[in-house]
Amino acid sequence: MAKRVMILATNGFEQSELFDPKKSLEDAGIETEVVSLESGEIKAWDKDDWGKTIKVDKTVDDVANCEGYDALLLPGGQINPDLLRVNDRAVAIVREFNAAGKPIAAICHAPWLLIEADLVKGKTLTSYHSIRTDMKNAGANVVDEQVAEDGNLITSRNPDDIPAFSERLISRVLERVPENA
């Protein structure tokens, strides 16, 4: 059975932080599914203006649980995670992936979702520099590295880190033993 990664995002995701890891995952033979707050399409933020759109495969309300997925990808951007972290179902999905021990990869501002899900205390993580104080206040040990990995959490700082971030997520997904094996 093919490996599959859920990409949880909404309007205002940083364009490169969704499209680039998605392409890398698919190039590695891993299926991706975009899950959002609403059906239809969501629009990227591309550095300093609105960017491309992407089709939504499912809404958060269509997702019963994290079964059938091997990992969760949380792209950043400032707008996207701020909208997602106030949605109870989106936060519940993050918690479900964590409870199942599945990899959760969060880049840039996306660790705000990890904070909201109460997953960062005692973890060594990284993020975009402007939310590092939020991370520390939530109990994380914050480092300034391309990729920080602690347990099932994989974090990166910004678009410059996407190649290393994507490589680590792909590695974790491909090494994962199927649940029913």
Side-chain angles (χ1 to χ4, degrees), residues 86-112:
V86 297
N87 181 281
D88 292 341
R89 183 64 193 128
V91 174
I93 288 170
V94 175
R95 287 186 180 125
E96 290 162 14
F97 272 88
N98 188 66
K102 295 179 180 184
I104 301 172
I107 188 167
C108 190
H109 288 74
W112 268 340

PDB file of all heavy atoms in Angstrom, residues 86-112:
ATOM      1  N   VAL A  86      -7.071  28.158  15.551  1.00  0.00           N
ATOM      2  CA  VAL A  86      -8.311  28.502  16.239  1.00  0.00           C
ATOM      3  C   VAL A  86      -9.474  27.605  15.806  1.00  0.00           C
ATOM      4  O   VAL A  86     -10.611  27.807  16.228  1.00  0.00           O
ATOM      5  CB  VAL A  86      -8.686  29.998  16.069  1.00  0.00           C
ATOM      6  CG1 VAL A  86      -7.627  30.878  16.701  1.00  0.00           C
ATOM      7  CG2 VAL A  86      -8.897  30.358  14.609  1.00  0.00           C
ATOM      8  N   ASN A  87      -9.183  26.595  14.983  1.00  0.00           N
ATOM      9  CA  ASN A  87     -10.189  25.638  14.545  1.00  0.00           C
ATOM     10  C   ASN A  87     -10.018  24.353  15.363  1.00  0.00           C
ATOM     11  O   ASN A  87      -8.983  23.689  15.274  1.00  0.00           O
ATOM     12  CB  ASN A  87     -10.040  25.360  13.043  1.00  0.00           C
ATOM     13  CG  ASN A  87     -11.079  24.390  12.555  1.00  0.00           C
ATOM     14  OD1 ASN A  87     -10.954  23.175  12.745  1.00  0.00           O
ATOM     15  ND2 ASN A  87     -12.123  24.902  11.923  1.00  0.00           N
ATOM     16  N   ASP A  88     -11.021  24.017  16.154  1.00  0.00           N
ATOM     17  CA  ASP A  88     -10.926  22.863  17.051  1.00  0.00           C
ATOM     18  C   ASP A  88     -10.615  21.561  16.322  1.00  0.00           C
ATOM     19  O   ASP A  88      -9.828  20.750  16.806  1.00  0.00           O
ATOM     20  CB  ASP A  88     -12.220  22.694  17.858  1.00  0.00           C
ATOM     21  CG  ASP A  88     -12.444  23.809  18.858  1.00  0.00           C
ATOM     22  OD1 ASP A  88     -11.473  24.517  19.211  1.00  0.00           O
ATOM     23  OD2 ASP A  88     -13.603  23.982  19.301  1.00  0.00           O
ATOM     24  N   ARG A  89     -11.226  21.334  15.175  1.00  0.00           N
ATOM     25  CA  ARG A  89     -10.996  20.077  14.445  1.00  0.00           C
ATOM     26  C   ARG A  89      -9.580  20.013  13.891  1.00  0.00           C
ATOM     27  O   ARG A  89      -8.950  18.956  13.931  1.00  0.00           O
ATOM     28  CB  ARG A  89     -12.033  19.905  13.319  1.00  0.00           C
ATOM     29  CG  ARG A  89     -11.890  18.583  12.592  1.00  0.00           C
ATOM     30  CD  ARG A  89     -12.153  17.373  13.506  1.00  0.00           C
ATOM     31  NE  ARG A  89     -11.706  16.153  12.861  1.00  0.00           N
ATOM     32  CZ  ARG A  89     -10.884  15.251  13.406  1.00  0.00           C
ATOM     33  NH1 ARG A  89     -10.455  15.408  14.635  1.00  0.00           N
ATOM     34  NH2 ARG A  89     -10.511  14.192  12.735  1.00  0.00           N
ATOM     35  N   ALA A  90      -9.054  21.129  13.399  1.00  0.00           N
ATOM     36  CA  ALA A  90      -7.680  21.145  12.900  1.00  0.00           C
ATOM     37  C   ALA A  90      -6.701  20.810  14.026  1.00  0.00           C
ATOM     38  O   ALA A  90      -5.788  20.000  13.844  1.00  0.00           O
ATOM     39  CB  ALA A  90      -7.346  22.504  12.287  1.00  0.00           C
ATOM     40  N   VAL A  91      -6.893  21.399  15.181  1.00  0.00           N
ATOM     41  CA  VAL A  91      -6.016  21.125  16.325  1.00  0.00           C
ATOM     42  C   VAL A  91      -6.170  19.671  16.767  1.00  0.00           C
ATOM     43  O   VAL A  91      -5.184  18.999  17.096  1.00  0.00           O
ATOM     44  CB  VAL A  91      -6.297  22.109  17.481  1.00  0.00           C
ATOM     45  CG1 VAL A  91      -5.493  21.736  18.720  1.00  0.00           C
ATOM     46  CG2 VAL A  91      -5.988  23.539  17.046  1.00  0.00           C
ATOM     47  N   ALA A  92      -7.395  19.165  16.743  1.00  0.00           N
ATOM     48  CA  ALA A  92      -7.628  17.759  17.112  1.00  0.00           C
ATOM     49  C   ALA A  92      -6.893  16.811  16.168  1.00  0.00           C
ATOM     50  O   ALA A  92      -6.349  15.792  16.604  1.00  0.00           O
ATOM     51  CB  ALA A  92      -9.128  17.456  17.119  1.00  0.00           C
ATOM     52  N   ILE A  93      -6.849  17.144  14.877  1.00  0.00           N
ATOM     53  CA  ILE A  93      -6.125  16.310  13.916  1.00  0.00           C
ATOM     54  C   ILE A  93      -4.640  16.255  14.277  1.00  0.00           C
ATOM     55  O   ILE A  93      -4.030  15.180  14.275  1.00  0.00           O
ATOM     56  CB  ILE A  93      -6.340  16.826  12.470  1.00  0.00           C
ATOM     57  CG1 ILE A  93      -7.766  16.511  12.017  1.00  0.00           C
ATOM     58  CG2 ILE A  93      -5.311  16.230  11.508  1.00  0.00           C
ATOM     59  CD1 ILE A  93      -8.181  17.182  10.706  1.00  0.00           C
ATOM     60  N   VAL A  94      -4.058  17.388  14.620  1.00  0.00           N
ATOM     61  CA  VAL A  94      -2.649  17.419  15.030  1.00  0.00           C
ATOM     62  C   VAL A  94      -2.451  16.522  16.250  1.00  0.00           C
ATOM     63  O   VAL A  94      -1.511  15.719  16.303  1.00  0.00           O
ATOM     64  CB  VAL A  94      -2.188  18.868  15.312  1.00  0.00           C
ATOM     65  CG1 VAL A  94      -0.773  18.886  15.864  1.00  0.00           C
ATOM     66  CG2 VAL A  94      -2.289  19.715  14.048  1.00  0.00           C
ATOM     67  N   ARG A  95      -3.326  16.625  17.215  1.00  0.00           N
ATOM     68  CA  ARG A  95      -3.227  15.783  18.428  1.00  0.00           C
ATOM     69  C   ARG A  95      -3.356  14.294  18.093  1.00  0.00           C
ATOM     70  O   ARG A  95      -2.679  13.456  18.686  1.00  0.00           O
ATOM     71  CB  ARG A  95      -4.310  16.178  19.431  1.00  0.00           C
ATOM     72  CG  ARG A  95      -4.043  17.495  20.113  1.00  0.00           C
ATOM     73  CD  ARG A  95      -5.072  17.755  21.210  1.00  0.00           C
ATOM     74  NE  ARG A  95      -4.809  19.019  21.843  1.00  0.00           N
ATOM     75  CZ  ARG A  95      -5.688  20.001  21.956  1.00  0.00           C
ATOM     76  NH1 ARG A  95      -6.927  19.858  21.493  1.00  0.00           N
ATOM     77  NH2 ARG A  95      -5.358  21.123  22.553  1.00  0.00           N
ATOM     78  N   GLU A  96      -4.247  13.959  17.153  1.00  0.00           N
ATOM     79  CA  GLU A  96      -4.446  12.554  16.767  1.00  0.00           C
ATOM     80  C   GLU A  96      -3.186  11.966  16.131  1.00  0.00           C
ATOM     81  O   GLU A  96      -2.809  10.826  16.431  1.00  0.00           O
ATOM     82  CB  GLU A  96      -5.643  12.431  15.827  1.00  0.00           C
ATOM     83  CG  GLU A  96      -6.962  12.682  16.529  1.00  0.00           C
ATOM     84  CD  GLU A  96      -8.116  12.995  15.583  1.00  0.00           C
ATOM     85  OE1 GLU A  96      -7.990  12.766  14.360  1.00  0.00           O
ATOM     86  OE2 GLU A  96      -9.150  13.486  16.079  1.00  0.00           O
ATOM     87  N   PHE A  97      -2.540  12.725  15.259  1.00  0.00           N
ATOM     88  CA  PHE A  97      -1.290  12.245  14.662  1.00  0.00           C
ATOM     89  C   PHE A  97      -0.242  12.037  15.755  1.00  0.00           C
ATOM     90  O   PHE A  97       0.496  11.052  15.733  1.00  0.00           O
ATOM     91  CB  PHE A  97      -0.769  13.224  13.602  1.00  0.00           C
ATOM     92  CG  PHE A  97      -1.318  12.983  12.226  1.00  0.00           C
ATOM     93  CD1 PHE A  97      -2.510  13.564  11.825  1.00  0.00           C
ATOM     94  CD2 PHE A  97      -0.641  12.171  11.324  1.00  0.00           C
ATOM     95  CE1 PHE A  97      -3.023  13.341  10.549  1.00  0.00           C
ATOM     96  CE2 PHE A  97      -1.143  11.943  10.048  1.00  0.00           C
ATOM     97  CZ  PHE A  97      -2.340  12.528   9.666  1.00  0.00           C
ATOM     98  N   ASN A  98      -0.179  12.951  16.699  1.00  0.00           N
ATOM     99  CA  ASN A  98       0.794  12.821  17.776  1.00  0.00           C
ATOM    100  C   ASN A  98       0.494  11.599  18.646  1.00  0.00           C
ATOM    101  O   ASN A  98       1.400  10.826  18.960  1.00  0.00           O
ATOM    102  CB  ASN A  98       0.817  14.087  18.638  1.00  0.00           C
ATOM    103  CG  ASN A  98       1.933  14.047  19.637  1.00  0.00           C
ATOM    104  OD1 ASN A  98       3.109  14.063  19.274  1.00  0.00           O
ATOM    105  ND2 ASN A  98       1.584  13.959  20.908  1.00  0.00           N
ATOM    106  N   ALA A  99      -0.758  11.414  19.014  1.00  0.00           N
ATOM    107  CA  ALA A  99      -1.144  10.271  19.848  1.00  0.00           C
ATOM    108  C   ALA A  99      -0.818   8.947  19.164  1.00  0.00           C
ATOM    109  O   ALA A  99      -0.478   7.962  19.828  1.00  0.00           O
ATOM    110  CB  ALA A  99      -2.628  10.343  20.191  1.00  0.00           C
ATOM    111  N   ALA A 100      -0.893   8.938  17.829  1.00  0.00           N
ATOM    112  CA  ALA A 100      -0.574   7.729  17.057  1.00  0.00           C
ATOM    113  C   ALA A 100       0.931   7.573  16.830  1.00  0.00           C
ATOM    114  O   ALA A 100       1.379   6.574  16.264  1.00  0.00           O
ATOM    115  CB  ALA A 100      -1.296   7.759  15.714  1.00  0.00           C
ATOM    116  N   GLY A 101       1.719   8.558  17.264  1.00  0.00           N
ATOM    117  CA  GLY A 101       3.168   8.494  17.090  1.00  0.00           C
ATOM    118  C   GLY A 101       3.627   8.703  15.661  1.00  0.00           C
ATOM    119  O   GLY A 101       4.762   8.387  15.309  1.00  0.00           O
ATOM    120  N   LYS A 102       2.769   9.264  14.825  1.00  0.00           N
ATOM    121  CA  LYS A 102       3.115   9.482  13.422  1.00  0.00           C
ATOM    122  C   LYS A 102       3.884  10.788  13.273  1.00  0.00           C
ATOM    123  O   LYS A 102       3.640  11.748  14.005  1.00  0.00           O
ATOM    124  CB  LYS A 102       1.849   9.515  12.565  1.00  0.00           C
ATOM    125  CG  LYS A 102       1.133   8.167  12.550  1.00  0.00           C
ATOM    126  CD  LYS A 102      -0.118   8.211  11.714  1.00  0.00           C
ATOM    127  CE  LYS A 102      -0.792   6.842  11.720  1.00  0.00           C
ATOM    128  NZ  LYS A 102      -1.969   6.800  10.840  1.00  0.00           N
ATOM    129  N   PRO A 103       4.810  10.850  12.319  1.00  0.00           N
ATOM    130  CA  PRO A 103       5.582  12.080  12.119  1.00  0.00           C
ATOM    131  C   PRO A 103       4.689  13.280  11.818  1.00  0.00           C
ATOM    132  O   PRO A 103       3.731  13.177  11.042  1.00  0.00           O
ATOM    133  CB  PRO A 103       6.475  11.756  10.915  1.00  0.00           C
ATOM    134  CG  PRO A 103       6.558  10.266  10.882  1.00  0.00           C
ATOM    135  CD  PRO A 103       5.237   9.789  11.399  1.00  0.00           C
ATOM    136  N   ILE A 104       5.026  14.398  12.450  1.00  0.00           N
ATOM    137  CA  ILE A 104       4.383  15.681  12.198  1.00  0.00           C
ATOM    138  C   ILE A 104       5.503  16.640  11.821  1.00  0.00           C
ATOM    139  O   ILE A 104       6.404  16.897  12.620  1.00  0.00           O
ATOM    140  CB  ILE A 104       3.633  16.207  13.429  1.00  0.00           C
ATOM    141  CG1 ILE A 104       2.559  15.219  13.880  1.00  0.00           C
ATOM    142  CG2 ILE A 104       3.038  17.591  13.137  1.00  0.00           C
ATOM    143  CD1 ILE A 104       1.898  15.586  15.210  1.00  0.00           C
ATOM    144  N   ALA A 105       5.451  17.162  10.593  1.00  0.00           N
ATOM    145  CA  ALA A 105       6.488  18.064  10.091  1.00  0.00           C
ATOM    146  C   ALA A 105       5.904  19.465   9.980  1.00  0.00           C
ATOM    147  O   ALA A 105       4.943  19.684   9.240  1.00  0.00           O
ATOM    148  CB  ALA A 105       6.989  17.578   8.734  1.00  0.00           C
ATOM    149  N   ALA A 106       6.482  20.410  10.744  1.00  0.00           N
ATOM    150  CA  ALA A 106       5.967  21.787  10.792  1.00  0.00           C
ATOM    151  C   ALA A 106       7.094  22.761  10.475  1.00  0.00           C
ATOM    152  O   ALA A 106       8.169  22.686  11.074  1.00  0.00           O
ATOM    153  CB  ALA A 106       5.385  22.073  12.171  1.00  0.00           C
ATOM    154  N   ILE A 107       6.840  23.685   9.557  1.00  0.00           N
ATOM    155  CA  ILE A 107       7.869  24.637   9.135  1.00  0.00           C
ATOM    156  C   ILE A 107       7.381  26.071   9.336  1.00  0.00           C
ATOM    157  O   ILE A 107       6.186  26.341   9.252  1.00  0.00           O
ATOM    158  CB  ILE A 107       8.275  24.382   7.658  1.00  0.00           C
ATOM    159  CG1 ILE A 107       9.479  25.236   7.262  1.00  0.00           C
ATOM    160  CG2 ILE A 107       7.101  24.544   6.720  1.00  0.00           C
ATOM    161  CD1 ILE A 107      10.137  24.831   5.940  1.00  0.00           C
ATOM    162  N   CYS A 108       8.334  26.961   9.610  1.00  0.00           N
ATOM    163  CA  CYS A 108       8.092  28.401   9.687  1.00  0.00           C
ATOM    164  C   CYS A 108       7.185  28.745  10.866  1.00  0.00           C
ATOM    165  O   CYS A 108       7.560  28.530  12.025  1.00  0.00           O
ATOM    166  CB  CYS A 108       7.530  28.877   8.342  1.00  0.00           C
ATOM    167  SG  CYS A 108       7.430  30.663   8.145  1.00  0.00           S
ATOM    168  N   HIS A 109       5.985  29.265  10.631  1.00  0.00           N
ATOM    169  CA  HIS A 109       5.031  29.610  11.688  1.00  0.00           C
ATOM    170  C   HIS A 109       4.137  28.421  12.076  1.00  0.00           C
ATOM    171  O   HIS A 109       3.371  28.520  13.030  1.00  0.00           O
ATOM    172  CB  HIS A 109       4.123  30.763  11.237  1.00  0.00           C
ATOM    173  CG  HIS A 109       4.794  32.098  11.171  1.00  0.00           C
ATOM    174  ND1 HIS A 109       5.673  32.434  10.173  1.00  0.00           N
ATOM    175  CD2 HIS A 109       4.704  33.174  11.984  1.00  0.00           C
ATOM    176  CE1 HIS A 109       6.093  33.678  10.363  1.00  0.00           C
ATOM    177  NE2 HIS A 109       5.529  34.147  11.448  1.00  0.00           N
ATOM    178  N   ALA A 110       4.208  27.313  11.352  1.00  0.00           N
ATOM    179  CA  ALA A 110       3.336  26.163  11.625  1.00  0.00           C
ATOM    180  C   ALA A 110       3.496  25.588  13.033  1.00  0.00           C
ATOM    181  O   ALA A 110       2.533  25.018  13.554  1.00  0.00           O
ATOM    182  CB  ALA A 110       3.534  25.077  10.579  1.00  0.00           C
ATOM    183  N   PRO A 111       4.657  25.712  13.706  1.00  0.00           N
ATOM    184  CA  PRO A 111       4.715  25.226  15.086  1.00  0.00           C
ATOM    185  C   PRO A 111       3.695  25.890  16.031  1.00  0.00           C
ATOM    186  O   PRO A 111       3.449  25.379  17.120  1.00  0.00           O
ATOM    187  CB  PRO A 111       6.159  25.502  15.503  1.00  0.00           C
ATOM    188  CG  PRO A 111       6.922  25.322  14.226  1.00  0.00           C
ATOM    189  CD  PRO A 111       6.014  25.981  13.194  1.00  0.00           C
ATOM    190  N   TRP A 112       3.075  26.995  15.597  1.00  0.00           N
ATOM    191  CA  TRP A 112       1.954  27.534  16.385  1.00  0.00           C
ATOM    192  C   TRP A 112       0.895  26.457  16.604  1.00  0.00           C
ATOM    193  O   TRP A 112       0.277  26.394  17.658  1.00  0.00           O
ATOM    194  CB  TRP A 112       1.314  28.711  15.655  1.00  0.00           C
ATOM    195  CG  TRP A 112       1.845  30.063  15.992  1.00  0.00           C
ATOM    196  CD1 TRP A 112       2.540  30.425  17.114  1.00  0.00           C
ATOM    197  CD2 TRP A 112       1.698  31.251  15.205  1.00  0.00           C
ATOM    198  NE1 TRP A 112       2.833  31.770  17.062  1.00  0.00           N
ATOM    199  CE2 TRP A 112       2.330  32.299  15.912  1.00  0.00           C
ATOM    200  CE3 TRP A 112       1.092  31.525  13.994  1.00  0.00           C
ATOM    201  CZ2 TRP A 112       2.365  33.601  15.431  1.00  0.00           C
ATOM    202  CZ3 TRP A 112       1.130  32.817  13.517  1.00  0.00           C
ATOM    203  CH2 TRP A 112       1.757  33.849  14.226  1.00  0.00           C
TER     204      TRP A 112
END
